[in-house]
Amino acid sequence: DIQLTQSPSFLSASVGDRVTITCRASQGITSYLAWYQQKPGKAPKLLIYAASTLQSGVPSRFSGSGSGTEFTLTVNSLQPEDFATYYCQHLNRYPPYTFGQGTKLEIK
Amino acid sequence: EVQLVESGGGLVQPGGSLRLSCAASGFTFSYHSMNWVRQAPGKGLEWVSYISSSSDIIYYADSVKGRFTISRDNAKNALFLQLNSLRAEDTAVYYCARETISVVRGLMREDYYYYMDVWGRGTTVTVSS
């Protein structure tokens, strides 16, 4: 099965900062990667799919890039509501659907 | 409004059983594959099970294979997860999630991208004596 490793696991930043989270796959997955945001006590929310396609309604300060084994999620000009935990996920035609271990973005 | 609402969670003893339900509304349920994803307290997300739109293809995570059973009733817009032989490590919030496919058509090929775009609020399962 494909493993996804996110880095860093914890990230401290300030409002207005630009942050980048990396997700590395144990083998090539072309662009079959999604990113989710989760706030405490809430369900995950889809941000990006196909590695770089922004889900409808998601602010344009979020962007995704990468293909193969290395992917990044970038948040430009952090807003207070962006402090949350972020997960990458590999999905293809059929499971297993692997998640990364998560990156918790905290206010500095 | 597109919505998924889980129910059926609760406190159960080790070795016990529970049946989780997920009620779908606001979209054509029978068009979508569905998934269950869980999250243990303080931990990350773990995919649990998948069922295709017509129930002909089913997958389970190794951690639940042989103990959990996924099913759906398209006439009632409902998804289910039967949890048997429960263990302490099954304690988690269980989410149902809709799977959607996006097709990207190029000159020579089509690419299909999958993602979970609608999630319920979750139902909590606690396995403890």
Side-chain angles (χ1 to χ4, degrees), chain B residues 8-34:
Chain B
L11 174 63
V12 61
Q13 292 188 338
S17 298
L18 276 178
R19 190 189 196 212
L20 307 184
S21 300
C22 171
S25 60
F27 65 98
T28 306
F29 180 69
S30 61
Y31 285 3
H32 291 266
S33 298
M34 296 294 294

Side-chain angles (χ1 to χ4, degrees), chain B residues 57-96:
Chain B
I57 299 170
I58 286 174
Y59 284 88
Y60 299 99
D62 287 345
S63 58
V64 307
K65 201 173 295 182
R67 300 186 299 120
F68 291 8
T69 303
I70 192 171
S71 62
R72 64 190 294 164
D73 184 337
N74 286 344
K76 295 183 178 179
N77 293 333
L79 175 71
F80 306 100
L81 188 67
Q82 177 69 39
L83 287 63
N84 295 333
S85 303
L86 281 162
R87 306 166 180 168
E89 55 265 35
D90 296 319
T91 295
V93 176
Y94 285 74
Y95 298 100
C96 61

